[in-house]
């Protein structure tokens, strides 16, 4: 179902007219209220009134994660604090977190966009949503929660963790939609199976999974195990939170970006030059309705491409391909680039290998080495050492063939790799120590 039929199926010309009007307002407000933007525009010799078309956006400078950090905590806010009703922060693996704020209208917009997202992912009134995204500074829990209420579904605010209790709740409360990170979803499935609970007996129809990269093969595994249709949801706190883009359950082929609120661009991460439709590169966003925390040409570091083709679902908004990873998560092993999600896709094609893995990067004699630690199923692990070694060699060969990366593969026993309650830690980089 389409939650907001007018905006979600708007012809391009009308959509662009709205984008331009909203963009001009955003630029004016950012220039007037955020010293950082004023300084950057002045340096570039651009006045807000110079933005006369959408193409003019290209003249504005980029904003980076470092810019947000430099203005920690509230320097990028475009409204006085007494207009800010909510604060979230992204954990950030290094340094200070990024702090973001919302006015009451921003929270309202977010709820609408999440209502759109949940319905694109298959939810509708009458559904019961088991929301296992973490509640707190992370935007996942509250983002889904407000959207679920706006849509008119019943939401169970279970958050992440306490996994056994989650399974009991699934059995007793009979939720029909699951929202969680893909890695935590696999953990839920594992614990359910240990408790003797089969997903055949639970009534899930759709799962709305995101917040971390996952492969198409992981989707297959999740759909098979949990007996539901799985869609990919994308977002980031700097731009809003979840609900920036989502796949429709009809096509499951790329995530519709809600373009009446966010203008996407793809650029070359090295040179910053714009890229054409279909070409992979770094995703850049300009928000056009956010009041408290507008971002202008924000470099997400997420790698994807854009597809403007019409979609079977009827939505006219451009689709982004599943994010393969962040440019800063890309591993460069002896000059060859590879994302953890690409290694994942190779692992998941091999029978007997469990979807739990971690990549360990070391430096030996000036050379970077990659070790893929991956769990095997109980049955396989009791096999002869020789057979396991043969399997390790086979996986290693496949990785080399697909991506040209030499990796050592180490099969480990079930449960050897720590389970996540939110975003999984896929890479352990020992080079930094
Ligand atoms: O992860 C918001 C979110 C919550 C999205 C729940 C979807 C569901 P942050 O913690 O700020 O916000 O992290 C944002 O996570 O820049 C991507 O690198 C990554 N990410 C988010 N969704 C996806 C996805 C939330 N579907 C960062 N596929 C982003 C791949 C994703 N990566």
């Amino acid at each position: 179902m389409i939650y907001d039929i007018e905006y979600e199926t708007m012809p391009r010309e009308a959509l662009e007219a709205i984008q331009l009007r909203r963009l001009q307002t955003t630029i004016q407000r950012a220039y007037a209220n955020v010293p950082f933007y004023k300084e950057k525009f002045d340096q570039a010799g651009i006045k807000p009134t110079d933005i006369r078309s959408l193409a003019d956006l290209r003249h504005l400078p980029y904003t980076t994660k470092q810019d947000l950090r430099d203005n920690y905590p509230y320097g990028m806010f475009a409204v006085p604090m007494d207009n800010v009703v909510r604060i979230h922060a992204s954990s950030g693996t290094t340094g200070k977190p990024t702090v973001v704020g919302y006015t009451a209208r921003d929270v309202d917009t977010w709820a609408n966009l999440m209502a759109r997202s949940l319905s694109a992912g298959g939810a509708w009134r009458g559904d019961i949503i088991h929301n296992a995204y973490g509640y707190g500074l992370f935007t996942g829990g509250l983002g889904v929660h407000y959207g679920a209420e706006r849509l008119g579904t019943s939401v169970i605010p279970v958050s992440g963790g306490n996994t056994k209790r989650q399974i009991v709740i699934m059995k007793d409360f009979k939720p029909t939609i699951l929202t969680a990170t893909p890695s935590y979803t696999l953990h839920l499935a594992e614990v359910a199976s240990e408790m003797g609970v089969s997903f055949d007996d639970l009534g899930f129809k759709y799962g709305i999974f995101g917040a971390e990269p996952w492969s198409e093969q992981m989707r297959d595994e999740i759909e098979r195990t949990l007996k539901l249709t799985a869609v990919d949801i994308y977002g980031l706190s700097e731009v809003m939170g979840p609900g920036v883009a989502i796949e429709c359950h009809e096509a499951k082929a790329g995530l519709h970006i809600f373009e009446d609120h966010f203008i996407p661009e793809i650029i070359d991460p090295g040179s910053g030059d714009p890229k054409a439709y279909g070409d992979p590169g770094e995703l850049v966003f300009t928000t056009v309705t956010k009041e408290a925390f507008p971002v202008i040409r924000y470099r997400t570091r997420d790698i994807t491409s854009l597809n403007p083709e019409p979609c079977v679902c009827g939505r006219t908004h451009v689709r982004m391909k599943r994010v393969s990873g962040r440019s800063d998560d890309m591993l460069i092993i002896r000059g060859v680039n590879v994302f953890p999600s690409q290694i994942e896709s190779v692992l998941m094609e091999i029978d007997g290998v469990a979807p739990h893995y971690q990549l360990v990067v070391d430096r030996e004699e000036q050379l970077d080495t990659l070790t893929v630690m991956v769990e095997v199923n109980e049955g396989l692990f009791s096999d002869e050492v020789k057979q396991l070694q043969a399997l390790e060699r086979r996986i290693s060969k496949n990785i080399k063939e697909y991506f040209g990366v030499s990796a050592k593969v180490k099969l480990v026993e079930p449960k050897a790799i720590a389970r996540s309650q939110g975003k999984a830690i896929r890479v352990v980089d020992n080079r930094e120590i």
Side-chain angles (χ1 to χ4, degrees):
M1 297 277 245
I2 297 185
Y3 179 76
D4 190 334
I5 198 104
E6 183 190 349
Y7 280 90
E8 291 182 73
T9 64
M10 190 168 264
R12 181 121 307 253
E13 210 174 307
L15 184 61
E16 288 186 355
I18 288 179
Q19 284 182 320
L20 178 61
R21 210 177 58 232
R22 291 179 170 178
L23 173 68
Q24 288 167 329
T25 309
T26 299
I27 302 282
Q28 261 149 17
R29 295 186 59 245
Y31 186 84
N33 301 319
V34 185
F36 166 83
Y37 285 120
K38 179 172 185 332
E39 204 175 298
K40 287 274 252 188
F41 292 5
D42 287 349
Q43 271 168 13
I46 298 166
K47 292 186 299 300
T49 45
D50 293 337
I51 306 299
R52 291 192 204 95
S53 70
L54 287 176
D56 289 336
L57 179 59
R58 295 249 156 112
H59 301 133
L60 293 173
Y62 292 120
T63 306
T64 64
K65 181 103 178 166
Q66 190 57 44
D67 295 328
L68 307 189
R69 288 214 180 101
D70 292 346
N71 288 283
Y72 175 88
Y74 300 139
M76 300 293 279
F77 285 20
V79 296
M81 273 323 267
D82 56 4
N83 287 347
V84 173
V85 301
R86 177 94 68 81
I87 292 166
H88 280 283
S90 75
S91 52
T93 40
T94 48
K96 293 228 172 72
T98 309
V99 180
V100 298
Y102 305 77
T103 63
R105 209 190 81 179
D106 290 334
V107 172
D108 187 67
T109 305
W110 188 12
N112 277 329
L113 295 186
M114 273 310 301
R116 284 190 194 179
S117 301
L118 294 169
S119 31
W124 201 247
R125 286 163 204 134
D127 274 313
I128 303 178
I129 299 185
H130 183 108
N131 183 19
Y133 284 116
Y135 281 64
L137 285 176
F138 174 55
T139 51
L142 285 168
V144 168
H145 188 101
Y146 275 60
E149 290 188 348
R150 178 63 50 89
L151 179 58
T153 61
S154 316
V155 56
I156 313 172
V158 64
S159 194
N162 221 333
T163 309
K164 280 193 175 143
R165 192 180 63 157
Q166 301 225 9
I167 306 303
V168 175
I169 288 173
M170 284 179 182
K171 261 177 63 187
D172 295 349
F173 295 13
K174 309 207 168 7
T176 50
I177 310 277
L178 176 62
T179 54
T181 61
S183 57
Y184 189 54
T185 299
L186 288 172
H187 184 46
L188 283 164
E190 184 175 53
V191 173
S193 144
E194 283 164 12
M195 291 169 70
V197 174
S198 160
F199 279 87
D200 284 323
D201 303 326
L202 302 177
F204 284 115
K205 294 183 294 187
Y206 297 98
I208 298 174
F209 306 117
E212 62 184 3
W214 53 310
S215 59
E216 210 47 49
Q217 289 77 0
M218 180 75 92
R219 186 206 312 262
D220 293 344
E221 168 83 16
I222 289 177
E223 291 192 329
R224 218 176 21 245
T225 316
L226 281 90
K227 319 276 187 235
L228 46 69
T229 297
V231 306
D232 191 7
I233 181 165
Y234 170 87
L236 63 168
S237 19
E238 299 94 308
V239 171
M240 181 180 74
V244 173
I246 180 141
E247 281 179 330
C248 55
H249 69 88
E250 293 93 339
K252 292 197 291 185
L255 298 84
H256 291 279
I257 296 173
F258 294 123
E259 284 185 277
D260 48 333
H261 296 268
F262 314 107
I263 301 180
E265 296 172 70
I266 299 288
I267 64 165
D268 181 301
S271 65
D273 292 341
K275 292 249 192 173
Y277 279 137
D279 285 351
E282 179 179 350
L283 181 61
V284 170
F285 275 116
T286 300
T287 62
V288 294
T289 51
K290 289 229 346 253
E291 293 182 329
F293 197 87
V295 287
I296 295 165
R297 301 196 89 197
Y298 180 67
R299 295 186 59 157
T300 64
R301 302 188 285 189
D302 291 324
I303 304 296
T304 181
S305 59
L306 297 179
N307 170 13
E309 302 287 308
C311 183
V312 288
C313 72
R315 289 178 183 80
T316 49
H317 296 190
V318 71
R319 280 177 281 169
M320 60 184 256
K321 208 172 165 184
R322 153 194 295 293
V323 169
S324 45
R326 297 173 75 110
S327 52
D328 39 354
D329 282 345
M330 191 174 68
L331 300 170
I332 307 176
I333 305 297
R334 303 188 190 182
V336 184
N337 304 347
V338 65
F339 281 111
S341 64
Q342 294 176 310
I343 304 270
E344 174 182 298
S345 65
V346 172
L347 299 177
M348 305 280 302
E349 275 175 357
I350 296 188
D351 276 348
V353 169
H356 304 284
Y357 66 95
Q358 207 159 45
L359 311 180
V360 183
V361 187
D362 280 295
R363 181 161 292 160
E364 285 165 19
E365 295 170 5
Q366 309 296 324
L367 280 182
D368 292 339
T369 61
L370 172 65
T371 307
V372 178
M373 315 265 288
V374 57
E375 290 182 15
V376 284
N377 296 340
E378 199 79 57
L380 259 188
F381 201 73
S382 50
D383 276 7
E384 297 223 346
V385 175
K386 258 201 206 141
Q387 273 166 305
L388 289 177
Q389 284 172 340
L391 184 56
E392 286 176 343
R393 280 197 301 273
R394 195 175 129 216
I395 300 173
S396 179
K397 187 163 159 271
N398 283 3
I399 294 174
K400 178 87 191 176
E401 272 172 12
Y402 285 134
F403 303 112
V405 170
S406 306
K408 215 184 296 166
V409 175
K410 198 166 177 316
L411 297 177
V412 295
E413 61 186 313
K415 300 258 183 72
I417 290 165
R419 301 295 187 250
S420 84
Q421 294 187 353
K423 301 183 190 234
I425 298 169
R426 296 298 190 197
V427 179
V428 179
D429 194 341
N430 293 327
R431 290 173 303 185
E432 287 152 9
I433 300 167

